[in-house]
């Protein structure tokens, strides 16, 4: 947990240099999408299936052109290899 706090501190003071750690870059890029996903209106209704589909789009971004697959980090690979979260939640 200590290293995560150091990275967070580095980011908050502007000392983190993008490209230093691909996993951190991936997390930074996805964070706004995750924050948006976690916001739900008081009267907004979302089914479990729809929530899982939306979450999968947050965690697994659309493929980007000109990004070689060998640039995928182990963290990204594990995230991308989990398949459809809706199926995993149902035990399929």
């Amino acid at each position: 947990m200590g290293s995560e706090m150091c990275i967070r501190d580095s980011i908050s003071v502007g000392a983190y240099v993008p490209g230093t750690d691909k996993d951190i870059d991936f997390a930074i890029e996805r964070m706004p999408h995750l924050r948006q996903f976690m916001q739900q209106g008081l009267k907004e209704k979302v089914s479990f299936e729809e929530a899982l589909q939306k979450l999968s789009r947050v965690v697994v971004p659309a493929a980007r052109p000109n990004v070689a697959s060998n640039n995928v980090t182990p963290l990204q690979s594990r995230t991308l290899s989990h398949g459809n979260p809706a199926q995993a939640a149902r035990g399929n």
Side-chain angles (χ1 to χ4, degrees), residues 28-91:
I28 291 169
E29 190 270 329
R30 299 314 308 159
M31 187 54 79
H33 303 283
L34 184 58
R35 284 190 180 119
Q36 183 179 10
F37 167 78
M38 293 186 328
Q39 296 175 352
Q40 181 175 344
L42 289 173
K43 298 185 187 240
E44 182 181 358
K45 295 181 181 180
V46 178
S47 71
F48 181 69
E49 183 76 25
E50 184 181 354
L52 287 176
Q53 288 173 356
K54 287 181 178 183
L55 180 59
S56 72
R57 289 192 298 269
V58 168
V59 176
V60 183
R64 296 184 197 159
N66 302 324
V67 176
S69 62
N70 62 356
N71 289 334
V72 175
T73 69
L75 174 64
Q76 294 167 340
S77 178
R78 286 192 306 272
T79 303
L80 297 171
S81 68
H82 284 143
N84 183 336
Q87 289 177 346
R90 289 190 309 264

Side-chain angles (χ1 to χ4, degrees), residues 6-18 20:
C6 289
I7 292 168
R8 184 178 183 163
D9 290 344
S10 296
I11 293 168
S12 68
V13 299
Y16 177 75
V17 178
T20 303

